[in-house]
Amino acid sequence: CQASLESHETSPRNDEMPVHGLSTMIVGVLGGGQLGRMLCQAASQMAIKVMVLDPLVNCPASSLAYHHMVGSFDDSATVQEFAKRCGVLTVEIEHVDVATLEKLEQQGVDCQPKASTIRIIQDKYLQKVHFSRHGIPLPEFMQIDDLDGAKRAGDLFGYPLMIKSKRLAYDGRGNAVAKSEEDLSSAVTALGGFDRGLYVEKWAPFVKELAVIVARGRDNSILCYPVVETIHKENICHIVKAPADVPWKIRKLATDVSYKAVSSLEGAGVFAVELFLTSDGQILLNEVAPRPHNSGHHTIESCYTSQFEQHLRAVVGLPLGDPSMKTPAAIMYNLLGEDEGEPGFHLAHQLIGRALNVQGATVHWYDKPEMRRQRKMGHITIIGPSMGIVEARLNSMLKDEGSDSP
Ligand code: ATP
Ligand code: MG
Ligand code: MG
């Protein structure tokens, strides 16, 4: 399934393809990480052809994609070459060359979601400006260009103060917390300095973090998945609980805010809306991802239509599927690299060995070529008849006590 950029003459073109699957469109995905891999898995079920563009020869999606073009999704010529071979272009990462996507759209290339959406989302500050203009509740924020500006923000918003890089942020790499004015300078340095483009957010005193996957079809129909709770450790998603254990009113508010946020963006696909729940019952938006998301991995086992199938349905123009849960409760546990290299693989495989004996558990391993600390290497989803039982199963897996009885 792999081909280098140079071998494109021999690879099939969209207009020459015989049609046997649920769609005539070849779906081109910018990025071939774990999200691309799981898109390929869902595509295979529907016999939809997915091509991925990723610089890593052995990226997670490579072995499952209909075709893998080895090249950068941040390089204009490469993205243009890739787009020629696809019926619709989508993303599994927002840090792509958006100027090229805009140019391609003008030439008639079908991008879903739209380049305008990627442009807004890939700059977190622009994203905040956009959502505040659309009346979405979010933590107060302001751009900072120098230390004086950062101090003014600290005076205004108080401490701790969240300093964020506007671009290229993921898994918390791009965030730094200043506990007091004295911390500002080192926090800014840790993020690479003001030249990188920074802004600050008022600290959100959340009691829980919630997330909602929202799907929009090409006909603009919108469906929301059940609200989940996400638990982060050192800024990285660690556990997702579905559904979130919050009152009905909070679920409704979280869903309404997410619906409104996604309605303000253009294009088809699934979107993940990350939210903060405060102690006084407010919902504040943290950020939106224009693609399948870690908070939606549980949907593969727990919902009638997984987020990956839904994304494909949306971008090729099939009707959206049922996002509701077919099991009462699910927990997703991320397999993060605990150590570099072989020792890291050994630790992960110990846990996987235990998961294989846990009732209701499914193991996903992304087959990343290198193990690194804090890297998302795989995940385990456990489903069951209640959250209590699913939690007990997770605990038994983590404590090395073998599986529990239902
Ligand atoms: P992702 O991997 O989700 O893209 P990211 O690098 O874009 O992560 P954020 O989502 O901005 O980072 O922040 C990561 C985490 O840091 C959040 O999930 C939350 O736990 C914490 N956080 C972010 N912003 C704030 C804030 N304003 N106040 C308090 N905590 C925050
Ligand atoms: Mg992010
Ligand atoms: Mg986030």
Side-chain angles (χ1 to χ4, degrees):
C1 298
Q2 243 163 246
S4 70
L5 249 182
E6 295 73 45
S7 73
H8 69 268
E9 290 83 7
T10 58
S11 66
R13 285 175 54 90
N14 198 38
D15 49 7
E16 291 164 359
M17 287 308 304
V19 179
H20 299 296
L22 268 67
S23 173
T24 58
M25 282 186 184
I26 291 187
V27 178
V29 182
L30 300 181
Q34 66 265 26
L35 301 173
R37 180 183 172 91
M38 289 183 270
L39 277 170
C40 290
Q41 286 166 342
S44 129
Q45 203 171 297
M46 297 186 280
I48 289 176
K49 292 183 170 65
V50 169
M51 287 186 30
V52 299
L53 174 64
D54 194 282
L56 250 188
V57 174
N58 47 3
C59 66
S62 186
S63 60
L64 302 182
Y66 164 66
H67 184 72
H68 170 204
M69 184 194 258
V70 181
S72 170
F73 41 74
D74 199 25
D75 176 74
S76 182
T78 311
V79 173
Q80 290 195 44
E81 184 55 45
F82 181 71
K84 279 188 207 158
R85 301 193 232 162
C86 311
V88 59
L89 207 55
T90 189
V91 296
E92 63 117 55
I93 178 166
E94 50 275 22
H95 307 302
V96 297
D97 176 19
V98 74
T100 299
L101 290 190
E102 283 165 346
K103 196 163 119 194
L104 288 171
E105 272 182 349
Q106 279 165 12
Q107 294 165 4
V109 172
D110 187 7
C111 299
Q112 301 294 344
K114 297 290 166 207
S116 60
T117 296
I118 310 290
R119 181 172 284 286
I120 291 165
I121 284 180
Q122 68 176 202
D123 181 327
K124 282 180 160 183
Y125 176 74
L126 206 60
Q127 195 187 137
K128 294 268 139 91
V129 171
H130 170 87
F131 287 128
S132 70
R133 279 191 190 143
H134 282 83
I136 309 289
L138 47 142
E140 287 178 78
F141 65 98
M142 70 186 262
Q143 179 168 307
I144 51 168
D145 301 312
D146 51 31
L147 208 52
D148 279 345
K151 284 180 185 163
R152 277 198 301 278
D155 291 343
L156 208 60
F157 298 154
Y159 293 89
L161 186 65
M162 180 59 96
I163 308 178
K164 291 190 182 182
S165 142
K166 291 181 177 178
R167 305 172 67 86
L168 299 172
Y170 71 101
D171 288 347
R173 289 168 220 182
N175 291 359
V177 180
K179 291 202 180 96
S180 64
E181 193 174 295
E182 289 70 53
D183 279 357
L184 284 175
S185 170
S186 58
V188 166
T189 308
L191 292 178
F194 289 103
D195 288 347
R196 185 157 168 205
L198 303 178
Y199 77 102
V200 296
E201 280 178 22
K202 188 171 178 173
W203 190 256
F206 60 83
V207 287
K208 273 183 183 170
E209 285 190 81
L210 305 174
V212 181
I213 302 283
V214 181
R216 180 163 56 210
R218 292 182 80 107
D219 58 358
N220 274 328
S221 55
I222 293 188
L223 290 176
C224 298
Y225 281 78
V227 182
V228 301
E229 178 182 357
T230 59
I231 300 166
H232 290 74
K233 229 185 188 176
E234 292 168 35
N235 284 281
I236 302 187
C237 179
H238 176 52
I239 283 175
V240 174
K241 293 183 180 185
D245 181 18
V246 289
W248 178 85
K249 260 174 78 176
I250 300 294
R251 281 214 291 274
K252 167 133 182 33
L253 182 58
T255 308
D256 288 350
V257 168
S258 303
Y259 185 101
K260 196 170 165 192
V262 171
S263 300
S264 75
L265 300 167
E266 291 183 293
V270 299
F271 300 79
V273 185
E274 300 179 11
L275 305 161
F276 299 122
L277 169 64
T278 61
S279 57
D280 55 351
Q282 273 190 76
I283 290 286
L284 303 175
L285 182 140
N286 175 23
E287 62 168 345
V288 174
R291 52 168 169 79
H293 189 257
N294 202 171
S295 63
H297 290 358
H298 71 94
T299 60
I300 298 174
E301 286 82 18
S302 74
C303 293
Y304 289 100
T305 310
S306 79
Q307 64 164 345
F308 299 103
E309 176 176 339
Q310 197 74 295
H311 189 72
L312 292 168
R313 283 182 182 228
V315 301
V316 303
L318 292 170
L320 294 181
D322 182 355
S324 59
M325 290 181 74
K326 59 186 178 188
T327 177
I331 288 189
M332 191 274 338
Y333 181 85
N334 265 346
L335 292 166
L336 299 173
E338 285 185 46
D339 210 340
E340 310 279 316
E342 276 312 308
F345 277 117
H346 181 70
L347 286 169
H349 283 108
Q350 273 184 332
L351 191 57
I352 289 171
R354 295 204 292 273
L356 292 173
N357 289 310
V358 172
Q359 195 174 0
T362 306
V363 175
H364 295 256
W365 186 252
Y366 307 147
D367 208 12
K368 292 192 179 176
E370 269 180 69
M371 164 70 74
R372 282 198 223 121
R373 204 168 275 125
Q374 295 297 76
R375 189 180 223 191
K376 289 170 179 166
M377 302 302 294
H379 73 266
I380 294 164
T381 299
I382 309 177
I383 59 169
S386 72
M387 189 51 78
I389 288 172
V390 171
E391 276 170 341
R393 289 177 182 173
L394 175 71
N395 290 337
S396 75
M397 180 183 92
L398 297 176
K399 282 190 200 136
D400 195 11
E401 286 167 357
S403 63
D404 64 333
S405 41

